[in-house]
């Protein structure tokens, strides 16, 4: 279960990007990825104590201090039957959210479209079987 970061259930990822993740978190579960990189990416902490599988379309970002004072950032994408490594960005400095934004945004649209297409195919198959 995702744990809230602050009083609002979501916090801007850019506020967290300069600091290591707390030991109690396995990453930040993205709530939204806006179309423009200058808009906030909203997230909640995903608990390390109860690691649950990512749901289809869910994106989990994790990061740790890397070489040269930067952060090593990793993104995982939840699929129906598994979780896959989406991307890695080594040694990012400062607010790294604009760097990872394009990849995150480009994945959310196609995943949503594939989900709709899959549901439509299942419905069509069900209707043709009747």
């Amino acid at each position: 279960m995702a744990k809230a970061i602050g009083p609002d259930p979501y916090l801007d990822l850019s506020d967290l990007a300069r600091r290591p993740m707390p030991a109690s978190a396995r990453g930040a579960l993205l709530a939204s990825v806006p179309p423009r990189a200058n808009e906030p990416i909203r997230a909640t902490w995903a608990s390390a104590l109860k690691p649950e599988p990512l749901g289809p379309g869910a994106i989990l970002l994790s990061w740790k201090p890397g070489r040269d004072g930067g952060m090593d950032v990793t993104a995982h994408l939840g699929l129906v039957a598994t979780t896959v490594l989406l991307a890695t960005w080594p040694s990012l400095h400062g607010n790294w959210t604009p760097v990872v934004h394009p990849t995150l945004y480009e994945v959310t649209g196609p995943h949503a479209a594939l989900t709709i297409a899959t549901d439509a195919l299942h419905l069509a198959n069900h209707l043709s079987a009747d």
Side-chain angles (χ1 to χ4, degrees), residues 9-11 28-34 40-44 58-59 108:
Y10 304 106
L11 190 67
L29 189 59
L30 304 187
S32 66
V33 182
I41 297 172
R42 308 293 278 168
T44 62
I59 298 175
T108 56

Side-chain angles (χ1 to χ4, degrees), residues 42-103:
R42 308 293 278 168
T44 62
W45 288 125
S47 175
L49 302 175
K50 287 189 188 178
E52 297 177 8
L54 292 179
I59 298 175
L60 180 75
L61 282 179
S62 58
W63 60 95
K64 61 183 178 184
R67 294 191 280 190
D68 303 326
M71 293 287 180
D72 292 340
V73 182
T74 303
H76 286 89
L77 173 66
L79 299 176
V80 172
T82 191
T83 297
V84 296
L85 177 63
L86 177 59
T88 58
W89 298 271
S91 199
L92 297 179
H93 292 272
N95 176 13
W96 42 260
T97 58
V99 175
V100 303
H101 176 272
T103 301

Side-chain angles (χ1 to χ4, degrees), residues 3-50:
K3 181 178 166 186
I5 297 172
D8 180 358
Y10 304 106
L11 190 67
D12 295 349
L13 188 61
S14 62
D15 292 340
L16 307 173
R18 291 180 174 88
R19 299 186 305 262
M21 293 187 316
S24 62
R26 70 177 181 138
L29 189 59
L30 304 187
S32 66
V33 182
R36 291 187 292 275
N38 62 345
E39 295 179 64
I41 297 172
R42 308 293 278 168
T44 62
W45 288 125
S47 175
L49 302 175
K50 287 189 188 178

Side-chain angles (χ1 to χ4, degrees), residues 106-124:
E106 289 176 10
V107 165
T108 56
H111 186 275
L114 286 172
T115 300
I116 291 169
T118 301
D119 290 346
L121 181 61
H122 287 275
L123 179 59

